[in-house]
Amino acid sequence: DGGITQSPKYLFRKEGQNVTLSCEQNLNHDAMYWYRQDPGQGLRLIYYSQIVNDFQKGDIAEGYSVSREKKESFPLTVTSAQKNPTAFYLCASIDRPRGTDTQYFGPGTRLTVL
Amino acid sequence: QKEVEQNSGPLSVPEGAIASLNCTYSDRGSQSFFWYRQYSGKSPELIMFIYSNGDKEDGRFTAQLNKASQYVSLLIRDSQPSDSATYLCAGTGGTSYGKLTFGQGTILTVHP
């Protein structure tokens, strides 16, 4: 079964802790993305990666870090520098069979700071 | 700042009616546009994409793109209660390799 998986589904963080959100895809997609969604708002881009060992900052990268050591995996670390991390985090990857940049999303991780 | 703006909601329509969702964008370089549906607590799922001026139909859904007016819309015919969700409009530029800019979403409620 091909798809994008994210874990955990729910995550609780204490103040000052770093946490890592997992994103894995077996779709053989080159590009992967991390978005953040706050209640009643659209998605905002945190980081994206077009190829292995390369990634770029999105619109709201401060307080976050990523790595792309394998094509299938694009983990996101929420550091203690992120002042308001409570949000719904979505990972996506891209499929371009017809030259259209169609992004498909994983199920998301809901992060809550205690 | 490249922006995508969606018509303010929430939008409420009776079952069987046509729901009209609208979106404007500021970046004239944007080439492809996407409509996603998001149920509460779930991730977005793609409904349609459009990159040519005009209409594109898929079942009960019709996407419309007018690049001169920088306007994208989604029409849902014969609306059903199961269509009740948040609808997200997103656009991408030709050289951005998939970077999407999302609107804030429009909440649609279809009442029986």
PDB file of all heavy atoms in Angstrom, chain A residues 31 33 37 41-43 48 50 88 90 94 96 98 100-103 105-106, chain B residues 34 36 38 41-44 46 49 51 88 92 96-100 102-104:
ATOM      1  N   ALA A  31      10.211  15.200  -3.971  1.00  0.00           N
ATOM      2  CA  ALA A  31      10.092  16.387  -3.120  1.00  0.00           C
ATOM      3  C   ALA A  31       9.155  16.123  -1.950  1.00  0.00           C
ATOM      4  O   ALA A  31       8.119  15.472  -2.090  1.00  0.00           O
ATOM      5  CB  ALA A  31       9.582  17.565  -3.947  1.00  0.00           C
ATOM      6  N   TYR A  33       7.533  18.062   1.840  1.00  0.00           N
ATOM      7  CA  TYR A  33       7.199  19.366   2.426  1.00  0.00           C
ATOM      8  C   TYR A  33       6.666  19.194   3.839  1.00  0.00           C
ATOM      9  O   TYR A  33       5.999  18.209   4.147  1.00  0.00           O
ATOM     10  CB  TYR A  33       6.107  20.054   1.587  1.00  0.00           C
ATOM     11  CG  TYR A  33       6.465  20.213   0.143  1.00  0.00           C
ATOM     12  CD1 TYR A  33       6.336  19.149  -0.740  1.00  0.00           C
ATOM     13  CD2 TYR A  33       6.961  21.419  -0.342  1.00  0.00           C
ATOM     14  CE1 TYR A  33       6.688  19.274  -2.065  1.00  0.00           C
ATOM     15  CE2 TYR A  33       7.316  21.553  -1.674  1.00  0.00           C
ATOM     16  CZ  TYR A  33       7.185  20.471  -2.526  1.00  0.00           C
ATOM     17  OH  TYR A  33       7.547  20.607  -3.844  1.00  0.00           O
ATOM     18  N   GLN A  37      -0.467  24.079  10.448  1.00  0.00           N
ATOM     19  CA  GLN A  37      -1.817  24.631  10.354  1.00  0.00           C
ATOM     20  C   GLN A  37      -2.302  24.987  11.746  1.00  0.00           C
ATOM     21  O   GLN A  37      -2.316  24.152  12.652  1.00  0.00           O
ATOM     22  CB  GLN A  37      -2.778  23.647   9.696  1.00  0.00           C
ATOM     23  CG  GLN A  37      -4.161  24.237   9.440  1.00  0.00           C
ATOM     24  CD  GLN A  37      -5.079  23.283   8.706  1.00  0.00           C
ATOM     25  OE1 GLN A  37      -5.031  22.078   8.913  1.00  0.00           O
ATOM     26  NE2 GLN A  37      -5.919  23.822   7.818  1.00  0.00           N
ATOM     27  N   GLN A  41      -7.099  28.417  10.091  1.00  0.00           N
ATOM     28  CA  GLN A  41      -6.187  29.015   9.116  1.00  0.00           C
ATOM     29  C   GLN A  41      -5.761  28.002   8.068  1.00  0.00           C
ATOM     30  O   GLN A  41      -5.920  26.796   8.232  1.00  0.00           O
ATOM     31  CB  GLN A  41      -4.958  29.578   9.829  1.00  0.00           C
ATOM     32  CG  GLN A  41      -5.297  30.681  10.816  1.00  0.00           C
ATOM     33  CD  GLN A  41      -4.067  31.408  11.289  1.00  0.00           C
ATOM     34  OE1 GLN A  41      -3.067  31.482  10.569  1.00  0.00           O
ATOM     35  NE2 GLN A  41      -4.125  31.967  12.479  1.00  0.00           N
ATOM     36  N   GLY A  42      -5.182  28.536   7.001  1.00  0.00           N
ATOM     37  CA  GLY A  42      -4.632  27.672   5.966  1.00  0.00           C
ATOM     38  C   GLY A  42      -3.290  27.098   6.391  1.00  0.00           C
ATOM     39  O   GLY A  42      -2.879  27.201   7.545  1.00  0.00           O
ATOM     40  N   LEU A  43      -2.605  26.490   5.444  1.00  0.00           N
ATOM     41  CA  LEU A  43      -1.324  25.850   5.720  1.00  0.00           C
ATOM     42  C   LEU A  43      -0.175  26.816   5.431  1.00  0.00           C
ATOM     43  O   LEU A  43      -0.200  27.533   4.425  1.00  0.00           O
ATOM     44  CB  LEU A  43      -1.162  24.611   4.834  1.00  0.00           C
ATOM     45  CG  LEU A  43      -1.879  23.333   5.268  1.00  0.00           C
ATOM     46  CD1 LEU A  43      -3.391  23.504   5.285  1.00  0.00           C
ATOM     47  CD2 LEU A  43      -1.485  22.185   4.368  1.00  0.00           C
ATOM     48  N   TYR A  48      11.061  22.556   2.940  1.00  0.00           N
ATOM     49  CA  TYR A  48      10.826  21.615   1.870  1.00  0.00           C
ATOM     50  C   TYR A  48      12.158  21.100   1.344  1.00  0.00           C
ATOM     51  O   TYR A  48      13.199  21.740   1.517  1.00  0.00           O
ATOM     52  CB  TYR A  48       9.973  22.216   0.749  1.00  0.00           C
ATOM     53  CG  TYR A  48      10.600  23.362  -0.008  1.00  0.00           C
ATOM     54  CD1 TYR A  48      11.135  23.177  -1.276  1.00  0.00           C
ATOM     55  CD2 TYR A  48      10.611  24.646   0.529  1.00  0.00           C
ATOM     56  CE1 TYR A  48      11.685  24.231  -1.986  1.00  0.00           C
ATOM     57  CE2 TYR A  48      11.161  25.709  -0.161  1.00  0.00           C
ATOM     58  CZ  TYR A  48      11.684  25.497  -1.416  1.00  0.00           C
ATOM     59  OH  TYR A  48      12.235  26.544  -2.112  1.00  0.00           O
ATOM     60  N   GLN A  50      13.794  19.066  -2.164  1.00  0.00           N
ATOM     61  CA  GLN A  50      13.566  18.607  -3.538  1.00  0.00           C
ATOM     62  C   GLN A  50      14.344  17.321  -3.833  1.00  0.00           C
ATOM     63  O   GLN A  50      13.942  16.531  -4.696  1.00  0.00           O
ATOM     64  CB  GLN A  50      13.956  19.698  -4.529  1.00  0.00           C
ATOM     65  CG  GLN A  50      13.133  20.966  -4.372  1.00  0.00           C
ATOM     66  CD  GLN A  50      13.570  22.060  -5.333  1.00  0.00           C
ATOM     67  OE1 GLN A  50      14.397  21.840  -6.189  1.00  0.00           O
ATOM     68  NE2 GLN A  50      12.997  23.244  -5.179  1.00  0.00           N
ATOM     69  N   PHE A  88      -1.220  21.796  14.198  1.00  0.00           N
ATOM     70  CA  PHE A  88      -1.377  20.565  13.421  1.00  0.00           C
ATOM     71  C   PHE A  88      -0.304  20.580  12.337  1.00  0.00           C
ATOM     72  O   PHE A  88      -0.227  21.519  11.555  1.00  0.00           O
ATOM     73  CB  PHE A  88      -2.789  20.545  12.817  1.00  0.00           C
ATOM     74  CG  PHE A  88      -3.197  19.266  12.158  1.00  0.00           C
ATOM     75  CD1 PHE A  88      -2.852  18.042  12.699  1.00  0.00           C
ATOM     76  CD2 PHE A  88      -3.966  19.286  11.004  1.00  0.00           C
ATOM     77  CE1 PHE A  88      -3.259  16.852  12.099  1.00  0.00           C
ATOM     78  CE2 PHE A  88      -4.374  18.101  10.398  1.00  0.00           C
ATOM     79  CZ  PHE A  88      -4.027  16.885  10.941  1.00  0.00           C
ATOM     80  N   LEU A  90       1.568  18.939   9.060  1.00  0.00           N
ATOM     81  CA  LEU A  90       1.265  18.102   7.906  1.00  0.00           C
ATOM     82  C   LEU A  90       2.492  17.956   7.025  1.00  0.00           C
ATOM     83  O   LEU A  90       3.179  18.926   6.710  1.00  0.00           O
ATOM     84  CB  LEU A  90       0.133  18.719   7.089  1.00  0.00           C
ATOM     85  CG  LEU A  90      -1.242  18.662   7.758  1.00  0.00           C
ATOM     86  CD1 LEU A  90      -2.155  19.740   7.227  1.00  0.00           C
ATOM     87  CD2 LEU A  90      -1.861  17.281   7.551  1.00  0.00           C
ATOM     88  N   ILE A  94       5.349  15.125  -3.446  1.00  0.00           N
ATOM     89  CA  ILE A  94       4.857  15.572  -4.746  1.00  0.00           C
ATOM     90  C   ILE A  94       4.953  14.503  -5.810  1.00  0.00           C
ATOM     91  O   ILE A  94       5.914  13.746  -5.885  1.00  0.00           O
ATOM     92  CB  ILE A  94       5.620  16.829  -5.188  1.00  0.00           C
ATOM     93  CG1 ILE A  94       4.714  17.721  -6.014  1.00  0.00           C
ATOM     94  CG2 ILE A  94       6.866  16.496  -5.968  1.00  0.00           C
ATOM     95  CD1 ILE A  94       5.244  19.108  -6.107  1.00  0.00           C
ATOM     96  N   ARG A  96       4.461  14.157  -9.991  1.00  0.00           N
ATOM     97  CA  ARG A  96       4.343  14.970 -11.208  1.00  0.00           C
ATOM     98  C   ARG A  96       4.264  14.116 -12.465  1.00  0.00           C
ATOM     99  O   ARG A  96       5.017  14.309 -13.396  1.00  0.00           O
ATOM    100  CB  ARG A  96       5.532  15.915 -11.343  1.00  0.00           C
ATOM    101  CG  ARG A  96       5.751  16.821 -10.155  1.00  0.00           C
ATOM    102  CD  ARG A  96       6.909  17.778 -10.400  1.00  0.00           C
ATOM    103  NE  ARG A  96       6.573  18.768 -11.399  1.00  0.00           N
ATOM    104  CZ  ARG A  96       7.465  19.635 -11.890  1.00  0.00           C
ATOM    105  NH1 ARG A  96       8.712  19.604 -11.486  1.00  0.00           N
ATOM    106  NH2 ARG A  96       7.107  20.515 -12.796  1.00  0.00           N
ATOM    107  N   ARG A  98       2.110  14.149 -14.772  1.00  0.00           N
ATOM    108  CA  ARG A  98       1.632  14.911 -15.924  1.00  0.00           C
ATOM    109  C   ARG A  98       2.193  16.315 -15.909  1.00  0.00           C
ATOM    110  O   ARG A  98       1.682  17.198 -16.574  1.00  0.00           O
ATOM    111  CB  ARG A  98       0.102  14.973 -15.902  1.00  0.00           C
ATOM    112  CG  ARG A  98      -0.573  13.626 -16.022  1.00  0.00           C
ATOM    113  CD  ARG A  98      -2.075  13.787 -15.893  1.00  0.00           C
ATOM    114  NE  ARG A  98      -2.432  14.218 -14.565  1.00  0.00           N
ATOM    115  CZ  ARG A  98      -2.732  13.396 -13.580  1.00  0.00           C
ATOM    116  NH1 ARG A  98      -2.707  12.093 -13.780  1.00  0.00           N
ATOM    117  NH2 ARG A  98      -3.063  13.865 -12.396  1.00  0.00           N
ATOM    118  N   THR A 100       2.117  18.303 -13.444  1.00  0.00           N
ATOM    119  CA  THR A 100       1.396  19.158 -12.488  1.00  0.00           C
ATOM    120  C   THR A 100       1.899  18.844 -11.090  1.00  0.00           C
ATOM    121  O   THR A 100       2.127  17.705 -10.739  1.00  0.00           O
ATOM    122  CB  THR A 100      -0.123  18.907 -12.549  1.00  0.00           C
ATOM    123  OG1 THR A 100      -0.356  17.514 -12.338  1.00  0.00           O
ATOM    124  CG2 THR A 100      -0.678  19.316 -13.894  1.00  0.00           C
ATOM    125  N   ASP A 101       2.055  19.882 -10.311  1.00  0.00           N
ATOM    126  CA  ASP A 101       2.641  19.717  -8.995  1.00  0.00           C
ATOM    127  C   ASP A 101       1.581  19.336  -7.977  1.00  0.00           C
ATOM    128  O   ASP A 101       1.198  20.136  -7.153  1.00  0.00           O
ATOM    129  CB  ASP A 101       3.331  21.016  -8.577  1.00  0.00           C
ATOM    130  CG  ASP A 101       4.441  21.392  -9.543  1.00  0.00           C
ATOM    131  OD1 ASP A 101       5.028  20.471 -10.139  1.00  0.00           O
ATOM    132  OD2 ASP A 101       4.699  22.586  -9.699  1.00  0.00           O
ATOM    133  N   THR A 102       1.104  18.136  -8.016  1.00  0.00           N
ATOM    134  CA  THR A 102       0.022  17.699  -7.136  1.00  0.00           C
ATOM    135  C   THR A 102       0.597  17.148  -5.845  1.00  0.00           C
ATOM    136  O   THR A 102       1.283  16.138  -5.845  1.00  0.00           O
ATOM    137  CB  THR A 102      -0.817  16.614  -7.824  1.00  0.00           C
ATOM    138  OG1 THR A 102      -1.286  17.118  -9.071  1.00  0.00           O
ATOM    139  CG2 THR A 102      -2.002  16.243  -6.963  1.00  0.00           C
ATOM    140  N   GLN A 103       0.312  17.807  -4.749  1.00  0.00           N
ATOM    141  CA  GLN A 103       0.813  17.366  -3.463  1.00  0.00           C
ATOM    142  C   GLN A 103      -0.196  16.473  -2.763  1.00  0.00           C
ATOM    143  O   GLN A 103      -1.389  16.749  -2.756  1.00  0.00           O
ATOM    144  CB  GLN A 103       1.127  18.568  -2.572  1.00  0.00           C
ATOM    145  CG  GLN A 103       2.357  19.327  -3.013  1.00  0.00           C
ATOM    146  CD  GLN A 103       2.834  20.327  -1.995  1.00  0.00           C
ATOM    147  OE1 GLN A 103       2.463  20.282  -0.837  1.00  0.00           O
ATOM    148  NE2 GLN A 103       3.679  21.238  -2.439  1.00  0.00           N
ATOM    149  N   PHE A 105      -0.964  14.557   0.979  1.00  0.00           N
ATOM    150  CA  PHE A 105      -0.664  14.791   2.385  1.00  0.00           C
ATOM    151  C   PHE A 105      -0.723  13.516   3.210  1.00  0.00           C
ATOM    152  O   PHE A 105      -1.511  12.611   2.937  1.00  0.00           O
ATOM    153  CB  PHE A 105      -1.656  15.797   2.971  1.00  0.00           C
ATOM    154  CG  PHE A 105      -1.421  17.200   2.512  1.00  0.00           C
ATOM    155  CD1 PHE A 105      -1.970  17.652   1.321  1.00  0.00           C
ATOM    156  CD2 PHE A 105      -0.631  18.058   3.245  1.00  0.00           C
ATOM    157  CE1 PHE A 105      -1.740  18.946   0.879  1.00  0.00           C
ATOM    158  CE2 PHE A 105      -0.398  19.357   2.816  1.00  0.00           C
ATOM    159  CZ  PHE A 105      -0.942  19.800   1.628  1.00  0.00           C
ATOM    160  N   GLY A 106       0.115  13.484   4.248  1.00  0.00           N
ATOM    161  CA  GLY A 106      -0.009  12.460   5.266  1.00  0.00           C
ATOM    162  C   GLY A 106      -1.140  12.799   6.211  1.00  0.00           C
ATOM    163  O   GLY A 106      -1.770  13.860   6.090  1.00  0.00           O
TER     164      GLY A 106
ATOM    165  N   PHE B  34      -5.046  24.510  -7.029  1.00  0.00           N
ATOM    166  CA  PHE B  34      -5.539  23.272  -6.461  1.00  0.00           C
ATOM    167  C   PHE B  34      -6.646  23.575  -5.464  1.00  0.00           C
ATOM    168  O   PHE B  34      -6.570  24.554  -4.726  1.00  0.00           O
ATOM    169  CB  PHE B  34      -4.397  22.538  -5.724  1.00  0.00           C
ATOM    170  CG  PHE B  34      -3.219  22.241  -6.616  1.00  0.00           C
ATOM    171  CD1 PHE B  34      -2.270  23.209  -6.870  1.00  0.00           C
ATOM    172  CD2 PHE B  34      -3.091  20.997  -7.208  1.00  0.00           C
ATOM    173  CE1 PHE B  34      -1.197  22.949  -7.706  1.00  0.00           C
ATOM    174  CE2 PHE B  34      -2.027  20.734  -8.042  1.00  0.00           C
ATOM    175  CZ  PHE B  34      -1.077  21.703  -8.288  1.00  0.00           C
ATOM    176  N   TYR B  36      -8.446  21.719  -2.283  1.00  0.00           N
ATOM    177  CA  TYR B  36      -8.404  20.620  -1.339  1.00  0.00           C
ATOM    178  C   TYR B  36      -9.618  20.704  -0.426  1.00  0.00           C
ATOM    179  O   TYR B  36     -10.077  21.787  -0.070  1.00  0.00           O
ATOM    180  CB  TYR B  36      -7.148  20.691  -0.466  1.00  0.00           C
ATOM    181  CG  TYR B  36      -5.859  20.307  -1.168  1.00  0.00           C
ATOM    182  CD1 TYR B  36      -5.116  21.258  -1.864  1.00  0.00           C
ATOM    183  CD2 TYR B  36      -5.378  19.002  -1.104  1.00  0.00           C
ATOM    184  CE1 TYR B  36      -3.922  20.908  -2.488  1.00  0.00           C
ATOM    185  CE2 TYR B  36      -4.186  18.644  -1.728  1.00  0.00           C
ATOM    186  CZ  TYR B  36      -3.466  19.609  -2.412  1.00  0.00           C
ATOM    187  OH  TYR B  36      -2.290  19.256  -3.031  1.00  0.00           O
ATOM    188  N   GLN B  38     -10.902  19.526   3.393  1.00  0.00           N
ATOM    189  CA  GLN B  38     -10.364  19.099   4.673  1.00  0.00           C
ATOM    190  C   GLN B  38     -11.499  18.949   5.673  1.00  0.00           C
ATOM    191  O   GLN B  38     -12.145  19.921   6.052  1.00  0.00           O
ATOM    192  CB  GLN B  38      -9.317  20.106   5.192  1.00  0.00           C
ATOM    193  CG  GLN B  38      -8.616  19.638   6.451  1.00  0.00           C
ATOM    194  CD  GLN B  38      -7.543  20.604   6.910  1.00  0.00           C
ATOM    195  OE1 GLN B  38      -7.592  21.801   6.651  1.00  0.00           O
ATOM    196  NE2 GLN B  38      -6.534  20.083   7.614  1.00  0.00           N
ATOM    197  N   GLY B  41     -10.179  17.852  11.743  1.00  0.00           N
ATOM    198  CA  GLY B  41      -9.219  16.954  12.364  1.00  0.00           C
ATOM    199  C   GLY B  41      -8.469  16.056  11.400  1.00  0.00           C
ATOM    200  O   GLY B  41      -7.651  15.240  11.825  1.00  0.00           O
ATOM    201  N   LYS B  42      -8.742  16.199  10.106  1.00  0.00           N
ATOM    202  CA  LYS B  42      -8.104  15.356   9.101  1.00  0.00           C
ATOM    203  C   LYS B  42      -7.171  16.168   8.219  1.00  0.00           C
ATOM    204  O   LYS B  42      -7.158  17.394   8.263  1.00  0.00           O
ATOM    205  CB  LYS B  42      -9.169  14.670   8.232  1.00  0.00           C
ATOM    206  CG  LYS B  42     -10.166  13.831   9.013  1.00  0.00           C
ATOM    207  CD  LYS B  42      -9.501  12.649   9.685  1.00  0.00           C
ATOM    208  CE  LYS B  42     -10.533  11.765  10.361  1.00  0.00           C
ATOM    209  NZ  LYS B  42      -9.892  10.618  11.073  1.00  0.00           N
ATOM    210  N   SER B  43      -6.393  15.477   7.397  1.00  0.00           N
ATOM    211  CA  SER B  43      -5.499  16.168   6.477  1.00  0.00           C
ATOM    212  C   SER B  43      -6.242  16.514   5.187  1.00  0.00           C
ATOM    213  O   SER B  43      -7.271  15.916   4.874  1.00  0.00           O
ATOM    214  CB  SER B  43      -4.282  15.294   6.179  1.00  0.00           C
ATOM    215  OG  SER B  43      -4.673  14.099   5.544  1.00  0.00           O
ATOM    216  N   PRO B  44      -5.743  17.487   4.432  1.00  0.00           N
ATOM    217  CA  PRO B  44      -6.409  17.873   3.174  1.00  0.00           C
ATOM    218  C   PRO B  44      -6.349  16.748   2.145  1.00  0.00           C
ATOM    219  O   PRO B  44      -5.357  16.027   2.053  1.00  0.00           O
ATOM    220  CB  PRO B  44      -5.596  19.080   2.708  1.00  0.00           C
ATOM    221  CG  PRO B  44      -4.880  19.574   3.923  1.00  0.00           C
ATOM    222  CD  PRO B  44      -4.611  18.360   4.742  1.00  0.00           C
ATOM    223  N   LEU B  46      -7.029  16.134  -2.083  1.00  0.00           N
ATOM    224  CA  LEU B  46      -7.158  16.858  -3.337  1.00  0.00           C
ATOM    225  C   LEU B  46      -8.508  16.581  -3.994  1.00  0.00           C
ATOM    226  O   LEU B  46      -8.934  15.441  -4.124  1.00  0.00           O
ATOM    227  CB  LEU B  46      -6.041  16.437  -4.292  1.00  0.00           C
ATOM    228  CG  LEU B  46      -6.027  17.138  -5.645  1.00  0.00           C
ATOM    229  CD1 LEU B  46      -5.608  18.597  -5.470  1.00  0.00           C
ATOM    230  CD2 LEU B  46      -5.078  16.430  -6.604  1.00  0.00           C
ATOM    231  N   PHE B  49      -7.360  20.012  -9.680  1.00  0.00           N
ATOM    232  CA  PHE B  49      -6.366  21.009 -10.009  1.00  0.00           C
ATOM    233  C   PHE B  49      -6.709  21.580 -11.384  1.00  0.00           C
ATOM    234  O   PHE B  49      -7.371  20.926 -12.202  1.00  0.00           O
ATOM    235  CB  PHE B  49      -4.950  20.436  -9.987  1.00  0.00           C
ATOM    236  CG  PHE B  49      -4.690  19.422 -11.057  1.00  0.00           C
ATOM    237  CD1 PHE B  49      -4.257  19.796 -12.311  1.00  0.00           C
ATOM    238  CD2 PHE B  49      -4.868  18.063 -10.794  1.00  0.00           C
ATOM    239  CE1 PHE B  49      -4.019  18.854 -13.297  1.00  0.00           C
ATOM    240  CE2 PHE B  49      -4.633  17.116 -11.767  1.00  0.00           C
ATOM    241  CZ  PHE B  49      -4.209  17.507 -13.029  1.00  0.00           C
ATOM    242  N   TYR B  51      -4.945  24.359 -14.510  1.00  0.00           N
ATOM    243  CA  TYR B  51      -3.839  25.228 -14.910  1.00  0.00           C
ATOM    244  C   TYR B  51      -4.122  25.957 -16.218  1.00  0.00           C
ATOM    245  O   TYR B  51      -3.318  26.784 -16.658  1.00  0.00           O
ATOM    246  CB  TYR B  51      -2.522  24.447 -15.011  1.00  0.00           C
ATOM    247  CG  TYR B  51      -2.590  23.193 -15.812  1.00  0.00           C
ATOM    248  CD1 TYR B  51      -2.413  23.194 -17.196  1.00  0.00           C
ATOM    249  CD2 TYR B  51      -2.830  21.973 -15.186  1.00  0.00           C
ATOM    250  CE1 TYR B  51      -2.482  22.030 -17.927  1.00  0.00           C
ATOM    251  CE2 TYR B  51      -2.897  20.799 -15.914  1.00  0.00           C
ATOM    252  CZ  TYR B  51      -2.720  20.826 -17.278  1.00  0.00           C
ATOM    253  OH  TYR B  51      -2.798  19.677 -18.005  1.00  0.00           O
ATOM    254  N   LEU B  88      -9.826  24.413   0.820  1.00  0.00           N
ATOM    255  CA  LEU B  88      -8.589  25.187   0.726  1.00  0.00           C
ATOM    256  C   LEU B  88      -8.209  25.370  -0.737  1.00  0.00           C
ATOM    257  O   LEU B  88      -8.170  24.414  -1.497  1.00  0.00           O
ATOM    258  CB  LEU B  88      -7.452  24.446   1.446  1.00  0.00           C
ATOM    259  CG  LEU B  88      -7.621  24.213   2.949  1.00  0.00           C
ATOM    260  CD1 LEU B  88      -6.602  23.214   3.452  1.00  0.00           C
ATOM    261  CD2 LEU B  88      -7.497  25.515   3.715  1.00  0.00           C
ATOM    262  N   THR B  92       0.538  27.595  -7.197  1.00  0.00           N
ATOM    263  CA  THR B  92       1.969  27.365  -7.305  1.00  0.00           C
ATOM    264  C   THR B  92       2.518  28.050  -8.540  1.00  0.00           C
ATOM    265  O   THR B  92       1.821  28.184  -9.538  1.00  0.00           O
ATOM    266  CB  THR B  92       2.294  25.869  -7.353  1.00  0.00           C
ATOM    267  OG1 THR B  92       3.707  25.694  -7.362  1.00  0.00           O
ATOM    268  CG2 THR B  92       1.731  25.214  -8.598  1.00  0.00           C
ATOM    269  N   SER B  96       8.768  26.993  -8.926  1.00  0.00           N
ATOM    270  CA  SER B  96       8.874  26.753  -7.485  1.00  0.00           C
ATOM    271  C   SER B  96       8.913  25.287  -7.136  1.00  0.00           C
ATOM    272  O   SER B  96       9.017  24.933  -5.984  1.00  0.00           O
ATOM    273  CB  SER B  96       7.707  27.407  -6.764  1.00  0.00           C
ATOM    274  OG  SER B  96       6.498  26.785  -7.151  1.00  0.00           O
ATOM    275  N   TYR B  97       8.827  24.411  -8.155  1.00  0.00           N
ATOM    276  CA  TYR B  97       8.846  22.970  -7.937  1.00  0.00           C
ATOM    277  C   TYR B  97       7.931  22.556  -6.803  1.00  0.00           C
ATOM    278  O   TYR B  97       8.332  21.905  -5.846  1.00  0.00           O
ATOM    279  CB  TYR B  97      10.273  22.485  -7.669  1.00  0.00           C
ATOM    280  CG  TYR B  97      10.415  20.982  -7.848  1.00  0.00           C
ATOM    281  CD1 TYR B  97      10.124  20.376  -9.059  1.00  0.00           C
ATOM    282  CD2 TYR B  97      10.840  20.183  -6.804  1.00  0.00           C
ATOM    283  CE1 TYR B  97      10.254  19.013  -9.224  1.00  0.00           C
ATOM    284  CE2 TYR B  97      10.985  18.812  -6.967  1.00  0.00           C
ATOM    285  CZ  TYR B  97      10.692  18.238  -8.177  1.00  0.00           C
ATOM    286  OH  TYR B  97      10.829  16.888  -8.352  1.00  0.00           O
ATOM    287  N   GLY B  98       6.698  22.953  -6.923  1.00  0.00           N
ATOM    288  CA  GLY B  98       5.692  22.438  -6.013  1.00  0.00           C
ATOM    289  C   GLY B  98       5.428  23.261  -4.788  1.00  0.00           C
ATOM    290  O   GLY B  98       4.584  22.881  -3.985  1.00  0.00           O
ATOM    291  N   LYS B  99       6.092  24.365  -4.595  1.00  0.00           N
ATOM    292  CA  LYS B  99       5.776  25.193  -3.427  1.00  0.00           C
ATOM    293  C   LYS B  99       4.377  25.754  -3.587  1.00  0.00           C
ATOM    294  O   LYS B  99       4.082  26.441  -4.541  1.00  0.00           O
ATOM    295  CB  LYS B  99       6.772  26.348  -3.299  1.00  0.00           C
ATOM    296  CG  LYS B  99       8.088  25.988  -2.662  1.00  0.00           C
ATOM    297  CD  LYS B  99       8.961  27.218  -2.492  1.00  0.00           C
ATOM    298  CE  LYS B  99       8.347  28.221  -1.557  1.00  0.00           C
ATOM    299  NZ  LYS B  99       9.231  29.417  -1.382  1.00  0.00           N
ATOM    300  N   LEU B 100       3.523  25.430  -2.637  1.00  0.00           N
ATOM    301  CA  LEU B 100       2.143  25.892  -2.685  1.00  0.00           C
ATOM    302  C   LEU B 100       1.925  27.028  -1.687  1.00  0.00           C
ATOM    303  O   LEU B 100       2.443  26.982  -0.576  1.00  0.00           O
ATOM    304  CB  LEU B 100       1.185  24.756  -2.345  1.00  0.00           C
ATOM    305  CG  LEU B 100       1.030  23.641  -3.368  1.00  0.00           C
ATOM    306  CD1 LEU B 100       0.083  22.573  -2.843  1.00  0.00           C
ATOM    307  CD2 LEU B 100       0.510  24.195  -4.689  1.00  0.00           C
ATOM    308  N   PHE B 102      -1.223  28.640   0.251  1.00  0.00           N
ATOM    309  CA  PHE B 102      -2.607  28.305   0.568  1.00  0.00           C
ATOM    310  C   PHE B 102      -3.387  29.534   1.002  1.00  0.00           C
ATOM    311  O   PHE B 102      -2.856  30.431   1.674  1.00  0.00           O
ATOM    312  CB  PHE B 102      -2.653  27.285   1.706  1.00  0.00           C
ATOM    313  CG  PHE B 102      -2.362  25.878   1.280  1.00  0.00           C
ATOM    314  CD1 PHE B 102      -1.058  25.432   1.170  1.00  0.00           C
ATOM    315  CD2 PHE B 102      -3.393  25.011   0.990  1.00  0.00           C
ATOM    316  CE1 PHE B 102      -0.785  24.135   0.770  1.00  0.00           C
ATOM    317  CE2 PHE B 102      -3.140  23.704   0.594  1.00  0.00           C
ATOM    318  CZ  PHE B 102      -1.831  23.274   0.490  1.00  0.00           C
ATOM    319  N   GLY B 103      -4.666  29.547   0.662  1.00  0.00           N
ATOM    320  CA  GLY B 103      -5.593  30.485   1.265  1.00  0.00           C
ATOM    321  C   GLY B 103      -5.959  30.020   2.660  1.00  0.00           C
ATOM    322  O   GLY B 103      -5.563  28.932   3.099  1.00  0.00           O
ATOM    323  N   GLN B 104      -6.753  30.846   3.341  1.00  0.00           N
ATOM    324  CA  GLN B 104      -7.083  30.551   4.736  1.00  0.00           C
ATOM    325  C   GLN B 104      -8.198  29.535   4.868  1.00  0.00           C
ATOM    326  O   GLN B 104      -8.465  29.043   5.967  1.00  0.00           O
ATOM    327  CB  GLN B 104      -7.448  31.848   5.480  1.00  0.00           C
ATOM    328  CG  GLN B 104      -8.798  32.430   5.106  1.00  0.00           C
ATOM    329  CD  GLN B 104      -8.742  33.319   3.879  1.00  0.00           C
ATOM    330  OE1 GLN B 104      -7.890  33.152   2.995  1.00  0.00           O
ATOM    331  NE2 GLN B 104      -9.650  34.283   3.831  1.00  0.00           N
TER     332      GLN B 104
END
